[in-house]
Amino acid sequence: MRAALYDHPGPAREVLRVAEVERPEPAAGEVRVRLAVSGINPVDVKIRSGAIPWPIDGFQIPHHDGTGVIDAVGEGVDGTRVGERVWIWFAARRRWGTAAEWTVVPARQAVPLPEETSDELGASLGIPAMTAYHCLWLDGPPDGLYILVQGGAGAVGHFAVELGTWVQSHVAATVGGQDQEALAHKAGAEHIVDYRAPDAAARLKAFAPRMDRIIEVALSENLQLDHELSGPGTSIVTYNSPQPEVTLQIRQWMERNAGMRFVLLFGVPIPQLETAAREITVALSESALHELPVHRFPLDQIAEAHEAVEAGVLGKVLVSVR
């Protein structure tokens, strides 16, 4: 089969190549998926670059997320799943990522895709939508709560806005420009503020004097704004921070009686991930989730696709593997 792969970390154009490799076969408890679209996340390019240490088993096919059709199952898997259209999560925890014509994953990581859901949307789920779900539900159901999504036009932020709206939360979002504002508005955010505005805190407090939950993409940059919008019962859930360290004024935060939680999807227990996948699929079936603007690349342009993610293009970078 044709696959994009690398055997050591480094810059995209130096280490990524497209080659023929043996098609994998599903072991017990696994399914094989004939892929249609592969989704790229920032974590995928960080792993490939070496910014995130990652063991390589001879070679690594990148990308955790994708869509396709099950064409073979291993022992113990219901044979009726053959022919089932699915979305995939965590494929690249092993060497068989989704930037290839086929992948094999544990059966639980190939989730039935509703008929009306496009391949593009299915390949955009995985890490972003599951991170958004886990952040929103980490301290209990968010139904009806006042939620701030920092970075509401990014992939995680986009799905956090949509999932929050799905359960009738009151969702505000911060963005960094008019294009991002349009995306957050389309996703369903009730109140949108440019985080660079000098009166950002005041404008958000006009929506809710205290946020129940803050989904945070840039803790090191937004710490003061988060503090101003926090109070008793606020939970700040961080899944990313541009800087690895922040300084807290402990007494000031104690006075807020707020909580801080930290999320790295790779460390979330599997049962919780399975719950997220099931609920995301329910949201799909109810047409609650939608695509971001798509930037598509053929498999032969895998390096260019990675560079587009590194450049921070607005929307979702996808790779057509057929």
Side-chain angles (χ1 to χ4, degrees):
M1 70 173 185
R2 295 181 75 242
L5 54 86
Y6 58 96
D7 52 28
H8 63 279
R13 288 179 187 264
E14 294 181 15
V15 302
L16 284 169
R17 67 186 191 277
V18 176
E20 288 286 339
V21 298
E22 186 175 356
R23 184 177 67 180
E25 296 296 330
E30 295 181 344
V31 298
R32 187 176 67 201
V33 179
R34 184 178 175 91
L35 290 155
V37 180
S38 176
I40 311 181
N41 297 295
V43 69
D44 295 314
V45 300
K46 290 176 182 178
I47 290 170
R48 183 265 308 147
S49 73
I52 295 177
W54 200 263
I56 297 178
D57 179 20
F59 62 85
Q60 179 67 53
I61 298 171
H63 311 168
H64 286 84
D65 303 340
T67 50
V69 175
I70 293 175
D71 74 345
V73 300
E75 182 181 352
V77 180
D78 188 346
T80 62
R81 295 205 67 186
V82 172
E84 187 175 79
R85 191 162 160 262
V86 294
W87 64 274
I88 297 167
W89 52 277
F90 273 10
R93 293 300 293 268
R94 304 180 298 177
R95 63 159 60 168
W96 306 109
T98 64
E101 292 181 304
W102 279 272
T103 188
V104 289
V105 294
R108 64 173 174 263
Q109 290 168 221
V111 187
L113 192 65
E115 183 178 350
E116 64 275 12
T117 302
S118 69
D119 284 336
E120 289 76 14
L121 177 54
S124 301
L125 300 172
I127 286 176
M130 295 176 79
T131 298
Y133 181 92
H134 190 68
C135 288
L136 284 168
W137 269 263
L138 184 59
D139 286 318
D143 310 46
L145 300 183
Y146 282 87
I147 294 171
L148 172 63
V149 178
Q150 297 273 33
V156 175
H158 169 79
F159 289 122
V161 170
E162 292 201 319
L163 287 167
T165 301
W166 177 52
V167 295
Q168 299 183 334
S169 303
H170 305 284
V171 183
T174 59
V175 297
Q178 291 185 348
D179 289 348
Q180 294 185 17
E181 181 177 351
L183 288 178
H185 177 75
K186 185 176 180 181
E190 298 176 42
H191 192 70
I192 304 167
V193 172
D194 190 323
Y195 69 89
R196 301 166 299 185
D199 61 344
R203 291 170 60 189
L204 286 164
K205 285 182 177 181
F207 176 71
R210 177 190 63 81
M211 297 294 176
D212 295 303
R213 208 154 292 171
I214 299 173
I215 311 303
E216 184 56 76
V217 66
L219 183 67
S220 59
E221 313 303 312
N222 296 329
L223 189 63
Q224 183 57 40
L225 182 58
D226 292 342
H227 180 267
E228 293 186 52
L229 297 167
S230 297
T234 300
S235 180
I236 301 166
V237 187
T238 297
Y239 65 92
N240 190 45
S241 180
Q243 300 301 321
E245 297 181 1
V246 297
T247 300
L248 298 178
Q249 300 299 319
I250 300 299
R251 181 69 186 187
Q252 290 182 7
W253 280 97
M254 289 172 63
E255 290 171 352
R256 293 294 185 187
N257 280 280
M260 283 194 178
R261 305 292 298 271
F262 299 89
V263 168
L264 181 64
L265 200 65
F266 294 126
V268 174
I270 290 295
Q272 294 180 36
L273 294 176
E274 290 181 287
T275 296
R278 285 194 301 269
E279 291 300 302
I280 288 165
T281 302
V282 173
L284 285 172
S285 69
E286 297 180 5
S287 300
L289 304 181
H290 304 88
E291 298 168 18
L292 283 158
V294 169
H295 306 271
R296 289 191 76 141
F297 292 81
L299 188 62
D300 288 328
Q301 293 181 10
I302 186 69
E304 290 88 340
H306 274 232
E307 289 170 348
V309 175
E310 291 171 324
V313 298
L314 184 60
K316 187 69 181 180
V317 178
L318 301 176
V319 175
S320 300
V321 296
R322 298 204 176 276

